[in-house]
Amino acid sequence: MPALSQSDLVASMFSTPDMQGVFSARACLQGMLDFESALARAQAEAGVVPAAVVPHIDACCKAELIDAEALCAAAGPAGNLAIPLVRQLTALVTKQDAEAGKFVHWGATSQDAIDTGMLLQLRQALDLIRRDLAGLLDALAVLCEHHRDTPQAGRTWLQQALPVTFGLKVAGWMDGLLRRQARLDQVSQTAMVVQFGGAAGTLASLGDAGLTVTEALARQLRLGVADIPWHTQRDRLCEVACELGMLVGSLGKMARDISLAMQTEVAELAEPVATGRGGSSAMPHKRNPVGCAIALTCAARMPGLVSTMLAGMVQEHERALGGWQAEWDTVPQIAGLAAAATHQLRQVAEGLTVDTARMQTNLHLTDGLIMAEAVTIALGRDLGRLAAHKLVEQACGVAVAERRNLRDVLVDSLAADARLAQSLSSPELDRLFNPSSYLGVAGQFVDRVLQTHRRQKTERKD
Amino acid sequence: MPALSQSDLVASMFSTPDMQGVFSARACLQGMLDFESALARAQAEAGVVPAAVVPHIDACCKAELIDAEALCAAAGPAGNLAIPLVRQLTALVTKQDAEAGKFVHWGATSQDAIDTGMLLQLRQALDLIRRDLAGLLDALAVLCEHHRDTPQAGRTWLQQALPVTFGLKVAGWMDGLLRRQARLDQVSQTAMVVQFGGAAGTLASLGDAGLTVTEALARQLRLGVADIPWHTQRDRLCEVACELGMLVGSLGKMARDISLAMQTEVAELAEPVATGRGGSSAMPHKRNPVGCAIALTCAARMPGLVSTMLAGMVQEHERALGGWQAEWDTVPQIAGLAAAATHQLRQVAEGLTVDTARMQTNLHLTDGLIMAEAVTIALGRDLGRLAAHKLVEQACGVAVAERRNLRDVLVDSLAADARLAQSLSSPELDRLFNPSSYLGVAGQFVDRVLQTHRRQKTERKD
Amino acid sequence: MPALSQSDLVASMFSTPDMQGVFSARACLQGMLDFESALARAQAEAGVVPAAVVPHIDACCKAELIDAEALCAAAGPAGNLAIPLVRQLTALVTKQDAEAGKFVHWGATSQDAIDTGMLLQLRQALDLIRRDLAGLLDALAVLCEHHRDTPQAGRTWLQQALPVTFGLKVAGWMDGLLRRQARLDQVSQTAMVVQFGGAAGTLASLGDAGLTVTEALARQLRLGVADIPWHTQRDRLCEVACELGMLVGSLGKMARDISLAMQTEVAELAEPVATGRGGSSAMPHKRNPVGCAIALTCAARMPGLVSTMLAGMVQEHERALGGWQAEWDTVPQIAGLAAAATHQLRQVAEGLTVDTARMQTNLHLTDGLIMAEAVTIALGRDLGRLAAHKLVEQACGVAVAERRNLRDVLVDSLAADARLAQSLSSPELDRLFNPSSYLGVAGQFVDRVLQTHRRQKTERKD
Amino acid sequence: MPALSQSDLVASMFSTPDMQGVFSARACLQGMLDFESALARAQAEAGVVPAAVVPHIDACCKAELIDAEALCAAAGPAGNLAIPLVRQLTALVTKQDAEAGKFVHWGATSQDAIDTGMLLQLRQALDLIRRDLAGLLDALAVLCEHHRDTPQAGRTWLQQALPVTFGLKVAGWMDGLLRRQARLDQVSQTAMVVQFGGAAGTLASLGDAGLTVTEALARQLRLGVADIPWHTQRDRLCEVACELGMLVGSLGKMARDISLAMQTEVAELAEPVATGRGGSSAMPHKRNPVGCAIALTCAARMPGLVSTMLAGMVQEHERALGGWQAEWDTVPQIAGLAAAATHQLRQVAEGLTVDTARMQTNLHLTDGLIMAEAVTIALGRDLGRLAAHKLVEQACGVAVAERRNLRDVLVDSLAADARLAQSLSSPELDRLFNPSSYLGVAGQFVDRVLQTHRRQKTERKD
């Protein structure tokens, strides 16, 4: 029995307990055993094996009956976990009933058990992820609606650019996540097709009963039936991996935004406070963005793991040498990281502290520079876009150099230049320097995203 | 003007001329210019800019009018290609008509032009890829149908395992590619949404006309309208990248199989012969699998490039610092490699030489070992799967050690063991050693894939 | 306490038991505890903490005293494993001696303990890897020497090209591995520098005793002292990761070659035979290249993991948000995969079966085509390289089309063309078609590599 | 002739003109031609080819004589650029002198020319990178020295943690870069070994003159001689790729820090100002961190590209199918991105604006919280580290909740608790809240790094 690994400790931080259960050693063995018992039932149904063997095989397909230590010792030389598992299972069944022992793993190959078992685990994982993703979206929808019109400094290239709304920012996060939700719903269906092809994908071991057994087997496990076994066509799994990779990418973007907004100097957002959360072993005042950190950690690890899945697609003939085996530890990591990031950001979103006063304060940090585009557009109609851009650019330079408010500099310019004064009256200038008056259609964008959320939610219920 | 690069030479080998056209410097500039002219038209339509400016802007939105050398010199300090492009365009338009010059790039931001222009290029790229993919699938369907029942050695872990059919192998290739075709059709729609948000995604520069202009702009360019600008939500592009990554993964698998089957010692398949194709500068006898080599090269480069796209998703606030800019050279590479791999394997498939005689010969290379599973299954019904496995394993050992045919070794075993003889008669044994009799439902699997191909083809026409 | 994970089962196949021990949960905790006890000793030595606290802290720094379940529960919210570990340790020490409890983790930060502990583990991992690498190189040296002059078909683009020797192929494998050995020796020194900077890298908590304590601490742990704490400068770790990545790349190349040479149709090499090794759950005759498969699996996973390390280097200010945390599960995987691949291929090399007769047979598979370059060179002196190339290319075409031996085709050409006959006599032609006569300086290349191996071995002993 | 590509436009922003020259199409061809002319000279010297051919071959080895359009057209089917190049070269030479034409590319294989040519380009690239890296380090050393004692808020997890110095931050950047400089100096030597093995690595085409010619060839090109040809052992190139990957990782960290410090709300640092630099097409006030953006873009792209190199190491037999070819476009990108990032950050460092007043202001943003660790340490000696941590943590909570200065809260605590007052006098408390008094050995760390810089500089000159 292998000892608990460092990886398990780390996973306890990054992953959720539920997800750790899904990819525990026990669950891994049980997945394969579920395949073996369903296979016996399906084959009995199709008349391929005697019906009498089923209860004996069923009774032994329990992970707790397996000697994991012996299994691990034999798996290395064997090249996979299924060979020693089937060997142990056969011994267990034979002890119960010699006849039943004859038909364990009948007509199947190791990869049939391994792949199908892994899909059964992955289905649970996707359910957990989708549950947390739905919760996260609900929490974001509340924030989005509430802050539909809350002005906040928009930042491009990490510089204050012009006003946006906090609702718009949240709507942006939702936008990407809503697409992932829709796609994850899809691939949770399309990827879930039973693996059953026998030694080289012909099911020759079952004579002409191959498809009948496949269909019965799929029914037993509530999986779909593919056109053809997929021993070396791994794109369905890769599709799941890519989707989870993009999910974590979108979550990473959200975590990046929140952690930037949590900086001491910005302080517009804060992760929920809880005892033991976000502390430091050295600094008693710290409230670290631990949820965001986990999401960003997942986002840092995901691209490499997804690239491993893609690289593994180039498999040899009827069973691969490396590409398949590379999935065994990679798929659970991909699912675990996606679950962790989703779960963490759901918690963050559900308890996010939003400091609208600070948002307001920050909007005024630049002494009006943040409204430069507004003035440019107002002047541009007469002067032309580029000429107005140049003029305001110069005024910004003066404002910065002389530490004056941009509005005051422009008032001087208007006073000095009659043509300019004609283009832009002083009251208009005042209006232009009110951030709330320069939010464009941000509210409508928010509404569109919220509407998509509602529509998707309704459709998913149906 | 930058000089032609080594990369262009390499691309001339890996990519197709059509695709090189799509991602030429000229096409890149034209993409952005198409955005600018469509924007003027859309804004005139919405009454945001005077209708009179449109013909002047239109007339200048031609890549050949741009001084690429000056543009390149200015782009580095500016941080993107659009800033100096818009500057040049404004000067050109202003020269034609001062009033029109005022409204160039009105209310837009650089990223609006860059992203939309890139989508316009990507749409063409996807069209080319999908065209070649359809042709490849057609060619494979012919091979698949023709060789539905052609026996070939199935190989797992690069060892002969048991017989399959060449049709089954081809059906496997088709299976993955058909899913990519369906998905590429989808993302060719869903990813094609205009980028238009102005400086920080609010379209504040257009007052309340933002959505009206967006819709007109999208119509002009035959693009969709998103719920919200996607300046820092890059998942749609990533989805295209992932799909192309999986496409190339599936093509890499096909190329791996063909190149393995082209080995001097296997010689079952050969790439089409043509003058100047697959030669060697040193060895006059060489016929290298150059098509497969290109596909495998693409498959080697794709995972890293896709991982760059995923990593780039973690973008900052309203405009990213690195993640967005990383796409500029990555997206064209991803599209170019996908196009190259598809195009090359289409050519390979259309001219593939299949040596069925050699397939037959190779099936007999192991002196019967390849039929070991067949015997195991036949014996297993009486002896039990595992006991039969053990018995045949021993017989295989004898056959190898004594360099005898497995069938002969088993005949001796039958003669020596009455119980065994009861389980397996000699005529049955003969039948078991005929590869063609042990193909299971391979033919049905082939039929199912071909049917999906036909259905998908019909649906795509509609 | 987290349950044993699927990852642990997979690791039991891919990694070695020794390496699993190095990266067990217990070893991870012990690494940090070793830091804490060494810190107390170093600080007592420097007079920073009372000497009396040392035995109490020492006595409690034992992983088996830690409640892993409680630790895991607290680690998630805390954001790292060290915070709850230090808390438990402080409670344990305080129970023994209240005064000692005051000085647990004195002046340190979590990252000091985590990074240093990880280095202590990594040092053991590198020792294991280097031991197996030395053994592998010794085994290869024996093969290389023994087969210095054994002719084998050289293969380029997976096509037979011209004769090489098996010794040359083995020397190629050694060549890359020797460079890795030298570099791993180096980085095993340079990367092993203690992490100690306190909360933000200034060691302000220790007043002006920072460097004194650092030096004492490093001495305690037999680690080096860096110029400056490296909390967010991770290149030393990346260097180890890159070296291990390249090691596995070189091993993957070796495994690719061996597995290709083990193909049923090539059959020149075979992995060592052992009970339970390389079998199949379906096919009793299979002897799968399981060692190579593991090495290739590691090679498939490594590039993605190394890319994660590189991506993680872009860290924020004095402690990172994601980039650092991404290492925690990645470094153990990188070390584990490198250890597995090295260990497996050492076993393969030590027991490799080499079928020189089959190599000889395969050299004659092409009916002389493999000697095409030899003839070209012989003719080239008179005809010119390119003209000779063209002529022999045509002869190859004829040989293939008419299924004749290339030599016979050329004899006809000589007979028909006096000028040609002058360039190449018939006895010369005979000599040219002997593979053993066309091995160039392969033997000298082998000798050079073996000499480097001997020199490096001597230097490493000193 | 392929058209200028979008990639060339992007490269004009990301790469330097010098580096674009190194990897221009022309330079690529010239690299191979330099190999061909050096080969002729070396072979004449060794008496393998007539001395008279040398001037004719030399005269034609000029990239401008090559018809790039024809070359590109032929390269695809041929599978590499060298085959059509050698064909054109042979025609050119033959036109000059029929005898000389016979000996073009004598005894060599395409990969010999391609790999060696690429090394010649890479040598130039490394020279450029090392030149800019040295300049960058010099600029950083000036900053580091000047700001050795400039207090700045240290930030962990993007939260203000405790004071550091700006000199310490710069020293951290230098620390990693100094290691890269040392290693790049090394690999610039060790990687530069001529590729020359002939068709399958035996140099059989040269009889027993193989090593003599190799040595002469290497001398001609000022390259080293390897123990053995390295057609499928690519670790030396990978070593360069990994080093450049780590260089860009370290540069990315520096760029991340600078861009975070340039945020509107932080404003401690600014990139140098120049006309046309860092503007926005929409917002006239923007001064974007364009240098940092380019470095971060390079850092986003590098991990994927390096992973491609590592994945490509798994090559087949004597010439690879995909792994080698994947390098052709990847190596230039890796070198180009490294050059761009180094060049940009050199410019940034040479002109960096440091606002020490703002650093001072920011240190006081937290109303004393940033000194929490200082107080903890002071109290810890009496109370114990953890108890003091808890006490100060509570005081921090009060300070935040009541918006008071932490010092004032603690003064109240001292007043209320006699035992506490004993541990910490009021004047001590005052001292503790002076950031400059809590910088530990930051200055010594700075000195150590500057010393390493000076030592390395001296050694490099020698």
Side-chain angles (χ1 to χ4, degrees), chain B residues 51-308:
Chain B
V53 311
V54 170
H56 301 292
I57 292 179
D58 257 3
C60 296
C61 283
K62 297 193 167 62
E64 55 270 28
L65 301 176
I66 300 301
D67 176 346
E69 189 159 4
L71 181 133
C72 284
N80 69 54
L81 294 167
I83 292 176
L85 180 73
V86 167
R87 199 166 286 269
Q88 282 196 35
L89 177 63
T90 306
L92 288 166
V93 174
T94 305
K95 215 188 291 179
Q96 276 215 8
D97 182 272
E99 187 64 15
K102 291 182 179 174
F103 295 99
V104 169
H105 192 66
W106 187 259
T109 195
S110 297
Q111 191 169 2
D112 292 336
I114 294 171
D115 281 352
T116 303
M118 196 259 290
L119 277 195
L120 297 176
Q121 294 174 271
L122 193 54
R123 177 165 63 188
Q124 294 176 55
L126 288 170
D127 284 351
L128 292 174
I129 292 166
R130 288 155 70 213
R131 194 189 60 194
D132 269 334
L133 181 55
L136 166 57
L137 279 164
D138 286 345
L140 290 177
V142 172
L143 282 169
C144 195
E145 215 151 11
H146 191 70
H147 292 286
R148 180 187 187 276
D149 302 308
T150 305
Q152 186 186 24
R155 295 165 179 102
T156 61
W157 297 66
L158 287 183
Q159 303 288 306
Q160 285 200 7
L162 72 169
V164 297
T165 63
F166 179 55
L168 186 74
K169 190 181 284 278
V170 177
W173 302 337
M174 291 183 68
D175 178 52
L177 294 174
L178 282 165
R179 280 190 289 280
R180 287 293 73 62
Q181 185 180 51
R183 281 286 298 149
L184 281 174
D185 286 352
Q186 281 177 22
V187 298
S188 294
Q189 296 291 323
T190 54
M192 291 300 141
V193 292
V194 75
Q195 178 67 287
F196 190 51
T202 61
L203 286 175
S205 50
L206 300 186
D208 49 15
L211 273 168
T212 318
V213 172
T214 303
E215 275 156 18
L217 175 60
R219 212 180 316 116
Q220 290 285 344
L221 298 167
R222 293 182 300 110
L223 293 170
V225 177
D227 283 349
I228 185 173
W230 46 281
H231 292 142
T232 51
Q233 294 292 342
R234 314 302 288 179
D235 61 293
R236 287 190 192 85
L237 269 185
C238 270
E239 223 171 302
V240 176
C242 286
E243 287 303 327
L244 295 178
M246 288 186 273
L247 170 65
V248 173
S250 293
L251 294 170
K253 189 268 183 286
M254 177 181 158
R256 174 72 49 92
D257 282 357
I258 293 176
S259 59
L260 287 170
M262 276 182 73
Q263 288 172 102
T264 309
E265 298 84 358
V266 179
E268 297 178 354
L269 300 177
E271 284 202 11
V273 177
T275 312
R277 186 181 169 97
S280 151
S281 75
M283 297 163 286
H285 70 288
K286 288 300 289 293
R287 286 293 165 264
N288 288 325
V290 284
C292 291
I294 288 180
L296 287 166
T297 302
C298 298
R301 291 177 58 188
M302 213 58 156
L305 294 171
V306 173
S307 76
T308 299

Side-chain angles (χ1 to χ4, degrees), chain A residues 72-296:
Chain A
C72 283
N80 69 53
L81 294 167
I83 292 177
L85 180 73
V86 167
R87 198 166 287 269
Q88 282 195 37
L89 176 63
T90 305
L92 288 166
V93 173
T94 304
K95 216 189 288 179
Q96 276 215 7
D97 181 272
E99 186 63 14
K102 291 182 180 176
F103 294 98
V104 169
H105 193 65
W106 186 260
T109 196
S110 296
Q111 191 169 3
D112 292 336
I114 294 170
D115 281 352
T116 303
M118 196 259 290
L119 277 195
L120 297 175
Q121 294 174 270
L122 192 54
R123 178 164 63 188
Q124 293 176 56
L126 288 170
D127 283 351
L128 292 173
I129 293 166
R130 288 155 69 213
R131 194 189 59 194
D132 269 334
L133 180 54
L136 166 57
L137 279 164
D138 285 345
L140 291 178
V142 172
L143 283 169
C144 195
E145 215 150 10
H146 190 72
H147 293 286
R148 180 187 186 277
D149 302 309
T150 305
Q152 184 186 26
R155 294 165 180 104
T156 61
W157 297 69
L158 288 182
Q159 302 290 304
Q160 286 200 7
L162 72 170
V164 297
T165 63
F166 179 53
L168 186 73
K169 191 182 284 279
V170 178
W173 302 337
M174 291 183 68
D175 178 52
L177 294 174
L178 282 164
R179 281 189 289 279
R180 288 290 74 62
Q181 185 180 51
R183 281 285 299 150
L184 281 173
D185 287 352
Q186 280 177 23
V187 298
S188 294
Q189 296 291 323
T190 54
M192 291 298 143
V193 291
V194 74
Q195 178 67 287
F196 190 51
T202 61
L203 287 176
S205 50
L206 301 185
D208 49 15
L211 274 168
T212 318
V213 171
T214 303
E215 276 156 18
L217 174 60
R219 214 180 315 116
Q220 290 284 344
L221 298 166
R222 292 182 300 112
L223 292 170
V225 178
D227 282 349
I228 185 172
W230 47 282
H231 292 142
T232 50
Q233 293 293 340
R234 315 301 290 178
D235 61 293
R236 286 190 194 84
L237 269 184
C238 270
E239 223 171 303
V240 176
C242 287
E243 287 303 327
L244 294 177
M246 287 186 275
L247 169 64
V248 172
S250 292
L251 295 170
K253 190 267 183 287
M254 177 181 158
R256 174 72 49 92
D257 281 358
I258 294 176
S259 58
L260 287 171
M262 277 182 72
Q263 290 173 102
T264 309
E265 298 84 358
V266 180
E268 298 179 353
L269 300 177
E271 286 202 12
V273 176
T275 312
R277 186 181 169 97
S280 152
S281 74
M283 296 163 287
H285 69 290
K286 289 299 290 292
R287 286 294 164 266
N288 288 325
V290 284
C292 291
I294 288 181
L296 286 166

Side-chain angles (χ1 to χ4, degrees), chain D residues 22 28 38 41 48 70 121 133 215 234 237 262 276 280 398 454:
Chain D
V22 170
C28 168
R41 290 196 299 276
V48 170
Q121 293 174 271
L133 180 55
E215 276 156 17
R234 315 301 289 179
L237 270 185
M262 277 181 72
S280 151
V398 172
R454 277 191 301 271

